[in-house]
Amino acid sequence: MSNFISRRKLLMGSLGFGFGITPILHTFAQSKSNSAITDVSGIKVGHFTDSRRPTGCTVILTESGAVAGVDVRGAAPGTRETDLLDPKNLVQQVHAILLSGGSAFGLDAATGVMKFLESRGIGYDVGIRGVKVPIVPAAILFDLNVGDAKVRPDAKAGYQACKNASDKLVREGNVGAGAGATVGKFFGMSRAMKSGIGTASIKLPGGITVGAIVAVNAVGDVFDPSNNKLLAGARSRDGKKLLGTMEAIKRGENLPPLLGGTNTTIGVVAMDAKLDKAQCQKIAQMAHDGLARTINPVHTMYDGDTIFALSTGLEAAPVNVTLLGATSALVMAQAVIRAIKTAESIPGLPSSKDLS
């Protein structure tokens, strides 16, 4: 192990980090349980949670504009405006990111976000007096199998989420896009568990802050990568203990038919470093490692796993994309764990707190 760490330190030094991986890991380990993506300058977060059933949406506002990138790894995504984030395309900044429940119906909530921003004169200047077009990429998760499927986030929900937005402490668990989130569904919803939305942040020694927020609705199980402990996932047939999906599959336990697109983990990493679109895209790619460390299996044919990366550009510290990408994966993993640990049970779907 010592030789491995030495090689990592040598590599980090050759990349110009000025310090090894150890300070980063220490910072991550010491990050506060109530840290949030709103620790990043220029970021606000607002939730709307529908009281009629567990569903909702979450908006990440960047009212002054932010450079953005995206990486989609799941095979069944539901998204909006992701092509615009390609580095070769025209528009350079976004004004919000929307994460929503409600499957494809939930993309309607982005209309409400646009209306909110337009009412405040925020958007892309198209050269027409009095008209600016807010740029609001979005991703959705499938939660129609929890409660009344006819109840979905709409434009009013997106607008209200914006009204609720602030740069203060972010609520976690059964709120916003995480209200109807579940995990461990390879053996059917009757053996699944409740999940939610979580957030975390890290401030690097050089002054840059990296934050993440994620709604965890994976078909797979969730683990704590620090000790490989299974936190939530598929349950045994009697529902009283965790099964371990991959171990059960290896033992030959039969899987029921699964429908693609009925899961998905969606999230955002944000930082106050000054980046371009190509750099944000690379960081979004690397942030998916945080999902791979905590969710197993992940990026499946049944998931639409999508991560956005945002750069508010308000911190003048020198930028190293590799460092920021590696840190984004760390903070995304922490946010996934928070999404599980802050979730509360609902009828038929226990939380990690119930089976720990």
Side-chain angles (χ1 to χ4, degrees):
M1 178 63 75
S2 60
N3 289 337
F4 172 75
I5 293 296
S6 296
R7 288 194 297 271
R8 286 296 296 269
K9 287 184 176 180
L10 180 62
L11 174 61
M12 295 297 179
S14 68
L15 289 172
F17 285 3
F19 45 84
I21 194 69
T22 304
I24 303 172
L25 293 174
H26 177 73
T27 303
F28 176 66
Q30 296 298 317
S31 61
K32 297 177 182 179
S33 61
N34 62 351
S35 65
I37 193 172
T38 49
D39 293 334
V40 177
S41 301
I43 297 292
K44 293 181 179 179
V45 171
H47 298 303
F48 170 81
T49 307
D50 200 316
S51 60
R52 296 173 293 172
R53 84 160 175 99
T55 192
C57 60
T58 297
V59 65
I60 297 89
L61 286 179
T62 59
E63 295 167 301
S64 297
V67 179
V70 68
D71 189 66
V72 180
R73 294 288 174 93
T79 57
R80 165 178 166 152
E81 298 275 40
T82 51
D83 283 350
L84 180 142
L85 303 183
D86 190 308
K88 68 177 178 288
N89 290 337
L90 175 65
V91 175
Q92 295 300 305
Q93 291 194 324
V94 305
H95 306 99
I97 300 288
L98 175 79
L99 307 177
S100 182
S103 188
F105 297 108
L107 291 173
D108 186 38
T111 301
V113 179
M114 289 188 68
K115 289 181 177 179
F116 176 88
L117 292 167
E118 183 185 26
S119 70
R120 285 153 177 78
I122 297 170
Y124 178 70
D125 191 345
V126 293
I128 301 173
R129 186 175 180 180
V131 177
K132 290 186 178 180
V133 180
I135 306 301
V136 185
I140 52 86
L141 56 79
F142 185 97
D143 60 6
L144 301 180
N145 49 5
V146 182
D148 183 356
K150 296 293 185 180
V151 176
R152 310 137 184 171
D154 56 13
K156 290 182 179 179
Y159 193 94
Q160 186 61 48
C162 292
K163 289 183 67 176
N164 294 339
S166 79
D167 59 2
K168 308 303 181 185
L169 189 63
V170 179
R171 290 183 62 200
E172 299 173 282
N174 298 21
V175 294
T182 52
V183 295
K185 290 166 276 188
F186 257 100
F187 298 96
M189 282 297 293
S190 64
R191 296 167 67 179
M193 291 180 65
K194 187 70 183 73
S195 180
I197 193 167
T199 185
S201 70
I202 299 171
K203 185 163 185 177
L204 294 173
I208 293 172
T209 301
V210 181
I213 189 167
V214 61
V216 183
N217 192 54
V219 70
D221 299 340
V222 178
F223 294 80
D224 183 340
S226 69
N227 55 19
N228 205 35
K229 180 182 178 182
L230 177 56
L231 300 176
R235 291 175 288 147
S236 57
R237 291 184 183 277
D238 63 9
K240 295 181 179 180
K241 60 182 180 180
L242 293 168
L243 180 65
T245 293
M246 294 308 299
E247 292 301 315
I249 290 172
K250 287 192 290 183
R251 291 194 300 268
E253 186 160 345
N254 292 328
L255 296 174
L258 292 173
L259 295 176
T262 55
N263 305 283
T264 295
T265 298
I266 51 177
V268 177
V269 292
M271 55 218 69
D272 45 19
K274 191 171 184 178
L275 305 169
D276 61 29
K277 288 173 71 175
Q279 291 171 324
C280 284
Q281 184 181 63
K282 183 59 184 176
I283 287 169
Q285 291 173 359
M286 294 180 71
H288 273 280
D289 291 347
L291 304 188
R293 293 169 192 168
T294 51
I295 302 171
N296 188 22
V298 71
H299 304 143
T300 74
M301 294 298 291
Y302 310 111
D303 294 288
D305 303 326
T306 300
I307 293 179
F308 297 93
L310 291 173
S311 161
T312 65
L314 297 176
E315 171 58 53
V319 166
N320 187 300
V321 172
T322 300
L323 169 62
L324 294 177
T327 306
S328 293
L330 287 170
V331 76
M332 179 58 72
Q334 181 69 14
V336 170
I337 294 170
R338 292 288 302 166
I340 296 300
K341 290 188 173 182
T342 59
E344 301 287 344
S345 63
I346 61 175
L349 290 164
S351 71
S352 177
K353 298 174 183 178
D354 300 305
L355 296 187
S356 60

